[in-house]
Amino acid sequence: MILLVFLAAYLVRRRLDSHDRLNPETLWRWLFHQGRRVRAGHEAGVAVGLTLVFLPALVAALVVHLFDLSGLSVMAYPLEFVLLVFLMGIPGWGATLRAYREAWQRGDMQAAWHHIKDRLPAEHRSTAIAPEAMHLSLSRALMVAVFQRFFLIAFWYVVGGIGLAILARGLVALTEHWPQSSARPRFARLLSWVEWLPSRLLSLTFGIAGDLAGWLRVAGQALSRLGSGAGEVLMLSANGALTGYALDPARFSRIHPEEWTAFGGRSLSAIRGLLNRSMLVWVCALALLVIAGMV
């Protein structure tokens, strides 16, 4: 049933994202509103934030466990389905990428930047950023967002159940929404440990779902960087797995200058296609594990 629950939640979440419905970030921000006030000198503390994430994860895990003990494990599946739908999702990204692609097609890089600036890291929100750097920053942000809100949750749900899935997603939310910004780097360090294995697994999946020969040329470099974050590993692996210089705008502009205005949309389509095929690989792998009785 774990396969059916996840697959149903994934399909529903994708449908909700396409209509920009049920944004889970609102719920996380409401939950973390409890941490808006701290004593002076304790702004970098993480105990309150971790507690706000750990308690719902623990409660969900205990409820599922009690259902199992009582022989009513089937009753836990609707609960897990609803929780997965809330945990996953990137609502709003679709409209952002459409506007960005249209602006790039027109050659209006200022408008393209305006549409995506809130999605970029703080250091890349300058209006003076080059189009190539802007696009690479957006591509990285998109890959990390999809990884953290789909693949990361899927991995920990399969490995440890709904409790670990909530805990992993909660750490992502803490790094983005915790009211005390001085504590966010500490949450990010904890998140890097949670992301380490699933990000490397997704990197391997890129080789299966994309250009294997191209991926093999960068695989050693990507997987050997033990201290690298998920964004760096995924960008390096995706660059090898994608063809047509989809993540090399500078080289694309030199080789195909006449098609430069089409690059933005073409590159984003290639990235989204790679991520979709990678999720299909994960679902197929989960099905094999279920058939083998391992999950």
Side-chain angles (χ1 to χ4, degrees), residues 24-132:
E25 308 303 330
T26 303
L27 179 61
W28 289 112
R29 283 192 289 265
W30 173 83
L31 178 63
F32 297 155
H33 188 64
Q34 310 301 320
R36 68 190 185 280
R37 294 179 181 176
V38 296
R39 290 181 298 167
H42 293 77
E43 292 82 1
V46 298
V48 176
L50 291 177
T51 300
L52 290 173
V53 168
F54 180 77
L55 286 179
L58 180 61
V59 170
L62 286 175
V63 169
V64 171
H65 183 62
L66 289 175
F67 277 131
D68 290 339
L69 290 178
S70 61
L72 299 173
S73 58
V74 68
M75 299 296 293
Y77 298 135
L79 172 64
E80 292 183 348
F81 168 79
V82 171
L83 289 174
L84 285 173
V85 169
F86 272 95
L87 293 175
M88 294 191 290
I90 51 170
W93 270 92
T96 297
L97 296 179
R98 281 193 298 271
Y100 173 82
R101 183 169 55 247
E102 292 169 0
W104 189 289
Q105 185 71 39
R106 298 192 306 269
D108 189 350
M109 299 305 171
Q110 181 69 21
W113 170 85
H114 177 76
H115 290 302
I116 65 165
K117 58 183 175 67
D118 293 335
R119 305 285 186 182
L120 302 180
E123 63 271 18
H124 291 163
R125 292 177 186 172
S126 169
T127 56
I129 189 173
E132 294 86 352

Side-chain angles (χ1 to χ4, degrees), residues 4 46 64 89 104 118 128-129 131 141 156 192-194 198 220 223 239 242 245 252 259 263 269-270 288:
L4 295 179
V46 298
V64 171
W104 189 289
D118 293 335
I129 189 173
W156 289 112
S192 66
W193 287 97
V194 175
L223 298 177
N239 189 30
L242 292 173
Y245 311 112
F252 182 93
E259 300 179 27
F263 172 79
S269 295
L288 293 176

Side-chain angles (χ1 to χ4, degrees), residues 203-231:
S203 173
L204 290 170
T205 310
F206 284 169
I208 301 172
D211 178 13
L212 179 59
W215 178 83
L216 286 173
R217 287 194 292 268
V218 301
Q221 183 181 1
L223 298 177
S224 64
R225 297 184 175 184
L226 300 181
S228 298

